[in-house]
C-alpha cells in the first residue's frame, strides 16, 4: 500500500523549463555573490530571446574596439571558430578563448549556441567559472529543445555551479538529465557518458564532504577527468544545435504516463527493472505508480513528505533498476530511502545521519557501475573503477577495494591515474600491515607522477612507514624530499614533524633542532606546536654539554612538557620520545607512563621489543624489579640475539635480587648454552658465583668467581668452552 498522501495541485509552474527538463536556476544572489564582470544582454538584463537583442560583454566590446583600430585584423578572412577549435585541442586555452570571442563578435546580433558553448568551455578552462556559467546559460536559451548543444550547455552549467559552491543545484540538474536522457537511443553516446560521469562526480564529492576532517595525508587519491575536448569539439562540429538529440514531444501533446515493471525476481529494488516514460509529474504520483506496479509499500516521514510535496520530475527510462530511479528522484532533494523487506522508507538526511553516509556511497557506487558497464575503454571508465575501489575502502571493505584496484591495474592505466592507483594500493597495503609492499607502491607512484603534490604526499608516507619499520636513515631521506616538495600545508607539517622524530631516533639532535627551527612556520596546528616545542628542547638538551646551558635547556624542556596533553601524543613515536624527555629531567613515573603507552601503540615487533627494552631498563634503574622482569621476559625469544641475551642477564640479576638463587642459576645455565662473548661469560659466572654464595656453596662460588665452570654446565657447552675453562666436578 502506498502510504504517502497524494497532493494534487491545480497548476504546475513550468518557469525555468527547457526541453521538458526542470531547471531550478539559483537566484542571482545565490549563484553569484557579486555582480559578474560579464553581462549578457542590454542594461545588465539577461537575454531571453534569440531575436532583437545583441549579445554584449566587456570582453567582446574590447575586442571590437581593438579590431576597429587594426585594419589588418578586419581585412583578414579568418575562420575564428576553426582556429579556436585547433587551439583548444592543442591546449592553448587563451588562444582558443580569444578566437571564440572574436567569432562571437562577428555574430554579435545572433551568436549560435554551439559558438557560445565553445566560448563558455574556453572560459571555464581558464578558471572563470562565473562568466562561463553566463555563456552556458545563454547557449541553453538559444538552442533547440533536446538538442545536443542544449544538453552540453546544461552539463556546463552544472559544472560551473559545482565549481562555484552550488553542488545541490548541480546535483538536481544532472539527476534530471540522467532520468531524461541516459536511456535515449537517439542521444549521442558521448553526451550520455558526460551526464553520467558528472553525476557520479557530484555524488562522490558530496560523500567526501563528511570526510574533510581527515588529514590530507590520509585521503585517498581521486581522479576527476576533465570534459573530453576532442569529443566536445567533434559534437559541436557535427551536431551543433541543428537537430534534436532525443526528439522531445511537443508541449501540446498529451502527457505520457507509462509505468511498467520489466522484471521482479525479488522485492529487492536493485533487481527490479522498470520501463517508465512520463511527462512532468508530481513525485508522489510517480512513487504511487511504482508501488502499484512493483508491489511495494512506500512510507515517508512527516518531514520527507513536506519536501516531496509539490515537487515534480520527468522520466524516460528503459530497463533501469528501480533503485537507481529512486536515487535520482530523491537524493537531489536531500532525501534517503532505506528498504526493509517490501517497504521503502523515505527520510530526510538529517533524520537518519548514520544511514545517510552509507546511502550516499551506495548511490555513487551504482552510478559508477553504470559508467563502468556502458563506457568502452576510456579514462573516465578507468577513473570509475578507481573510485569504486575508493568507496569500498571508505566503507572499510578492504578486500573489495583491493580487488577493484587489482582489476584496474590489469588494464594498465596511463598518466597520473596509474600513479594515483599505486598510491591507493599502497594505502590498502598499510591497512593490511604490509609496510614494505606499501613503500614499493609509494615509490611507484613517485616515479609515475608529474604531480608535485602527489610526489610530496608519497614521500611523506614513505618516511612515515620507514619510521614504523625502524629504519630512521631511510625515513630521513624520504621525509626530507617530502618536506622540500610539499605545497600542501598539512602534508608539509606532517613531513616536518616526522623528520624531526627521525633525526632524534637516529641520534642526530642537531639536525632535529635545525629542521624545526628552519621550518617553524610550517607548524600550524596547536597540538603539533606543543610537540615541536618538546622535540626542539629535547634535541638541544641532548646536544648540550654539562653546565649552565644544559640546566637552561632542562628548564625549557620541563615547561614544554608541562603543556603536553594525552590528546597530543597519539602516535607511538611521540610517546616514546616524550617518555625519554621526561626521564632525562627526572620525572621517572611520567616517563614510565608514556613508555607504557608507546608499547601499547607499537606497530610491529621491532618497536615492541625496542620500547619494552627501554621501559624495562628504566624500571630496573628505578628499582621496580617485578615490572622490569615482566618486560625483560617479553624480550627473551626463541631465536637468541643481543637484546635477548641482555634481557636474560638482567632476569638472572633480578632473580638474585629477589632472593631466588635457584632461578638465577637456571637462567645462567640457559645463557651459557648460547654463543656468548667473553664479557658475557664473565658476567654470567659472576652471577652464578653470587647465587652459589647465597646457597652456602662457597667452594663452588669461589671457582665461579675465579673463572671456573661447574661440570654439569660444561657437559652442555660447546667444545670451545671446554677447552677454555677447566672443569670442576660437583659432589
Amino acid at each position: 500500500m502506498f502510504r504517502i498522501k497524494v497532493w494534487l495541485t491545480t497548476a504546475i509552474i513550468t518557469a525555468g523549463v527547457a526541453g521538458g527538463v526542470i531547471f531550478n536556476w539559483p537566484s542571482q544572489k545565490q549563484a553569484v555573490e557579486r555582480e559578474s564582470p560579464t553581462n549578457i544582454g542590454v542594461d545588465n538584463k539577461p537575454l531571453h530571446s534569440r531575436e532583437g537583442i545583441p549579445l554584449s560583454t566587456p570582453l567582446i566590446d574590447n575586442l571590437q574596439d581593438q579590431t576597429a583600430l587594426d585594419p589588418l585584423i578586419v581585412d583578414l578572412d579568418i575562420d575564428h571558430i576553426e582556429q579556436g577549435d585547433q587551439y583548444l585541442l592543442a591546449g592553448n586555452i587563451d588562444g582558443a578563448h580569444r578566437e571564440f570571442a572574436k567569432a562571437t563578435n562577428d555574430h554579435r546580433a545572433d551568436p549560435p549556441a554551439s559558438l557560445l558553448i565553445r566560448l563558455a568551455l574556453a572560459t571555464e578552462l581558464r578558471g572563470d567559472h562565473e562568466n562561463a556559467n553566463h555563456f552556458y546559460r545563454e547557449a541553453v536559451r538559444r538552442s533547440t529543445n533536446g538538442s545536443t548543444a542544449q544538453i552540453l550547455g546544461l552539463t556546463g552549467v552544472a559544472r560551473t555551479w559545482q565549481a562555484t559552491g552550488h553542488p545541490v543545484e548541480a546535483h538536481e540538474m544532472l539527476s534530471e538529465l540522467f532520468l531524461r536522457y541516459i536511456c535515449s537511443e537517439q542521444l549521442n553516446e558521448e553526451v550520455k557518458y558526460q551526464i553520467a560521469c558528472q553525476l557520479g562526480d557530484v555524488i562522490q564529492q558530496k560523500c567526501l564532504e563528511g570526510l574533510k576532517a581527515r588529514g590530507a595525508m590520509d585521503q585517498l587519491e581521486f581522479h576527476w577527468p576533465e570534459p573530453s575536448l576532442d569529443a566536445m569539439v567533434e559534437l559541436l562540429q557535427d551536431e551543433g544545435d541543428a537537430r534534436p538529440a532525443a526528439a522531445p514531444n511537443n508541449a501540446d501533446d498529451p502527457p505520457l504516463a507509462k509505468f511498467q515493471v520489466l522484471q521482479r525476481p525479488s522485492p529487492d529494488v536493485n533487481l527490479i527493472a522498470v520501463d517508465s516514460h512520463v511527462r512532468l509529474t508530481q513525485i508522489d504520483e510517480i512513487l504511487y505508480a511504482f508501488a502499484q506496479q512493483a508491489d511495494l509499500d512506500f512510507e515517508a516521514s512527516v518531514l520527507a513528505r513536506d519536501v516531496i510535496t509539490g515537487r515534480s520530475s520527468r522520466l524516460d527510462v528503459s530497463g533501469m533498476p528501480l533503485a537507481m530511479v529512486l536515487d535520482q528522484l530523491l537524493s537531489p532533494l536531500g532525501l534517503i530511502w532505506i528498504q526493509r523487506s517490501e517497504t521503502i522508507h523515505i527520510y530526510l538526511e538529517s533524520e537518519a545521519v548514520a544511514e545517510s553516509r552509507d546511502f550516499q556511497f551506495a548511490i555513487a557506487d551504482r552510478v559508477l557501475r553504470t559508467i563502468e558497464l556502458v563506457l568502452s575503454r576510456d579514462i573516465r571508465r578507468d577513473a570509475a573503477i578507481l573510485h569504486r575501489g575508493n568507496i569500498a575502502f571508505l566503507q572499510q571493505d578492504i578486500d573489495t577495494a583491493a580487488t577493484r584496484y587489482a582489476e584496474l591495474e590489469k588494464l594498465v592505466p596511463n598518466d597520473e591515474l596509474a600513479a594515483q592507483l599505486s598510491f591507493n594500493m599502497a594505502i590498502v597495503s598499510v591497512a593490511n600491515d604490509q609496510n614494505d609492499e606499501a613503500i614499493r607502491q609509494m615509490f611507484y607512484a613517485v616515479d609515475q607522477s608529474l604531480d608535485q603534490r602527489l610526489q610530496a604526499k608519497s614521500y611523506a608516507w614513505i618516511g612515515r612507514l620507514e619510521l614504523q619499520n625502524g629504519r630512521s636513515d631511510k625515513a630521513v631521506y624520504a621525509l626530507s624530499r617530502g618536506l622540500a616538495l610539499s605545497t600542501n600545508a598539512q602534508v608539509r607539517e606532517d613531513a616536518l614533524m616526522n623528520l624531526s622524530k627521525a633525526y632524534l631516533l637516529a641520534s642526530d639532535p642537531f639536525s632535529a633542532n635545525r629542521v624545526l627551527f628552519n621550518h617553524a612556520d610550517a607548524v600550524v596546528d596547536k597540538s603539533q606546536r606543543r610537540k615541536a616545542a618538546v622535540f626542539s628542547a629535547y634535541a638541544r638538551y641532548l646536544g648540550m654539554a654539562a653546565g649552565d646551558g644544559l640546566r637552561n635547556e632542562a628548564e625549557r624542556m620541563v615547561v614544554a612538557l608541562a603543556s603536553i596533553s594525552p590528546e597530543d601524543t597519539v602516535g607511538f613515536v611521540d610517546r616514546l620520545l616524550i617518555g625519554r624527555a621526561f626521564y632525562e629531567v627526572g620525572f621517572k613515573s611520567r616517563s614510565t607512563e608514556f613508555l607504557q603507552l608507546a608499547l601499547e601503540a607499537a606497530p610491529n615487533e621491532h618497536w615492541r621489543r625496542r620500547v619494552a627494552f627501554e621501559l624495562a631498563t628504566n624500571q630496573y634503574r628505578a628499582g621496580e624489579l617485578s615490572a622490569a622482569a615482566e618486560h625483560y621476559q617479553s624480550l627473551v625469544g626463541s631465536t637468541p640475539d643481543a637484546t635477548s641475551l641482555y634481557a636474560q642477564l638482567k632476569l638472572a640479576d633480578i632473580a638474585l635480587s629477589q632472593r631466588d638463587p635457584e632461578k638465577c642459576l637456571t637462567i645462567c645455565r640457559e645463557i651459557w648454552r648460547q654463543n656468548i662473548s667473553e664479557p658475557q661469560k664473565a658476567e654470567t659466572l659472576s652471577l652464578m658465583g653470587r647465587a652459589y654464595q647465597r646457597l652456602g656453596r662457597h667452594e663452588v662460588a669461589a671457582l665461579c668467581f675465579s673463572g671456573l665452570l661447574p661440570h654439569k654446565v660444561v657437559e652442555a657447552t660447546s667444545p670451545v668452552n671446554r677447552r677454555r675453562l677447566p672443569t670442576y666436578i660437583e659432589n
Side-chain angles (χ1 to χ4, degrees), residues 156-279:
V157 169
R159 282 197 308 275
T160 54
W161 274 345
Q162 178 75 8
T164 53
H166 298 281
V168 175
E169 289 82 359
H171 190 183
E172 287 188 15
M173 175 172 287
L174 291 168
S175 292
E176 292 169 1
L177 291 173
F178 186 87
L179 293 175
R180 176 65 181 91
Y181 292 114
I182 200 66
C183 295
S184 171
E185 295 181 357
Q186 300 181 34
L187 183 63
N188 185 285
E189 292 297 312
E190 174 60 34
V191 181
K192 292 195 286 187
Y193 299 157
Q194 189 163 313
I195 293 171
C197 290
Q198 284 187 224
L199 178 60
D201 290 352
V202 168
I203 295 172
Q204 288 175 90
Q205 291 180 28
K206 182 178 180 180
C207 295
L208 297 176
E209 281 294 317
L211 301 175
K212 282 190 174 180
R214 295 163 63 98
M217 284 288 293
D218 300 323
Q219 291 175 358
L220 293 168
E221 286 293 309
F222 284 78
H223 190 87
W224 310 107
E226 297 289 340
S228 174
L229 297 182
D230 290 340
M232 289 277 284
V233 170
E234 183 178 353
L235 285 170
L236 292 169
Q237 289 175 344
D238 296 344
E239 299 286 343
D241 60 341
R243 68 173 185 265
N249 295 298
N250 295 326
D252 296 334
D253 289 346
L256 298 174
K258 178 182 178 182
F259 295 94
Q260 182 180 358
V261 174
L262 301 180
Q263 69 172 27
R264 189 186 186 279
S266 76
D268 186 352
V269 291
N270 289 286
L271 303 178
I272 298 176
V274 297
D275 188 7
S276 179
H277 307 276
V278 296
R279 286 199 173 278

Side-chain angles (χ1 to χ4, degrees), residues 668-684:
C668 288
R669 292 186 184 107
E670 290 293 329
I671 294 172
W672 196 266
R673 292 187 178 93
Q674 302 173 36
N675 185 20
I676 58 178
S677 64
E678 292 298 328
Q680 289 169 333
K681 292 174 184 176
E683 186 175 357
T684 303

Side-chain angles (χ1 to χ4, degrees), residues 4 7 282-284 287 300 303-312 330 333 335 346:
I4 296 181
W7 299 276
Q282 291 192 19
I283 291 177
D284 56 353
L287 296 178
L303 295 177
R305 289 179 193 152
D306 291 340
V307 173
I308 294 173
T309 302
R311 300 305 298 266
S312 302
L330 302 176
L333 304 180
L335 302 173
I346 303 174

